[in-house]
Amino acid sequence: MTANGETSAAAPGPKGRSQQQPYVGAGERRTEQGLDDGVLATRVGLRIPAGLDYEVWERAGQRIARLADSSAWCLGDWIIYGESRYTDRYRRAVKAAGLDYQTIRNYAWVARRFDHARRRSELSFQHHAEVAALTPEQQDYWLDQSRRFGWSRNELRKNVRAARKGKTAHAEAPEALPRIKASPERVQRWRLAAERSGSTLEGWIAARLDAAAAVMLGTAKDVPVNR
């Protein structure tokens, strides 16, 4: 309170909230989730502090991606349980949650095809969806190949389709390469670069070698830019 009876702009408002702070509704406060160093996920989006370091911003994005991917598994498992436990009421719960029934059914179909022990945490839900129609043995084979060579979902799809047409996938039976000797510092630098590109170390190294070969052979335009 100032001398003339006016309230200072920094004085606490109702329930101690400073009037200089942005308004956060009660519903938003209940659904806040900390992602990294002040980055908060709410029901209606992110609250990001000013001057956020790049590394923190990048880590937050990685966590959001993991949460988005795991939600498909979780929703699939959720509806599977509901169908078996609440056969006459589970559709009501889907509607009450504001979810699209067909989308949830698709998630459940993939989830049924992979028990928890066979789900690869290093790969996305969409990787699993690409091979869900195959036999368990084929599923395991293609998922292992994806993990080994750092294939994206689209690369996995391309290789599966090529195999179905009787063609050999480009990395299905890779030729052995000489072992590369490198200092721990170099390996750590490579790993960091691979992580920042969203790839595995093996996939990142292969992409860099492909790019270098394309430059030397004059076929750089043939190298995918998204790798």
Side-chain angles (χ1 to χ4, degrees), residues 54-165:
Y54 172 83
E55 290 76 11
V56 178
W57 172 81
E58 182 182 55
R59 286 197 303 271
Q62 293 171 351
R63 292 189 180 185
I64 293 169
R66 286 195 294 269
L67 287 170
D69 191 63
S70 66
S71 68
W73 286 119
C74 293
L75 287 170
D77 292 336
W78 176 73
I79 198 62
I80 290 172
Y81 182 88
E83 287 177 331
S84 62
R85 181 71 173 81
Y86 311 109
T87 56
D88 59 336
R89 290 180 290 171
Y90 76 92
R91 283 183 181 245
R92 186 194 315 166
V94 171
K95 184 177 181 180
L99 300 169
D100 179 72
Y101 180 72
Q102 188 55 53
T103 299
I104 294 297
R105 293 281 294 175
N106 292 340
Y107 291 162
W109 181 75
V110 176
R112 283 193 180 94
R113 301 287 293 169
F114 298 93
D115 58 41
H116 283 261
R118 295 182 56 242
R119 298 175 186 178
R120 274 66 167 179
S121 61
E122 305 92 335
L123 301 177
S124 71
F125 179 87
Q126 294 304 324
H127 278 86
H128 294 76
E130 285 294 332
V131 298
L134 304 178
T135 66
E137 293 75 16
Q138 292 172 325
Q139 292 169 355
D140 289 338
Y141 171 78
W142 287 111
L143 291 178
D144 287 343
Q145 292 293 90
S146 294
R147 183 167 56 183
R148 181 179 181 186
F149 297 107
W151 289 345
S152 67
R153 187 274 304 273
N154 289 339
E155 288 172 322
L156 170 60
R157 177 186 297 175
K158 178 184 68 175
N159 288 327
V160 171
R161 288 180 176 176
R164 286 177 173 174
K165 293 179 180 179

Side-chain angles (χ1 to χ4, degrees), residues 7-14 16-23:
T7 303
S8 170
R17 180 175 62 86
S18 171
Q19 294 180 5
Q20 289 183 331
Q21 298 299 316
Y23 174 74

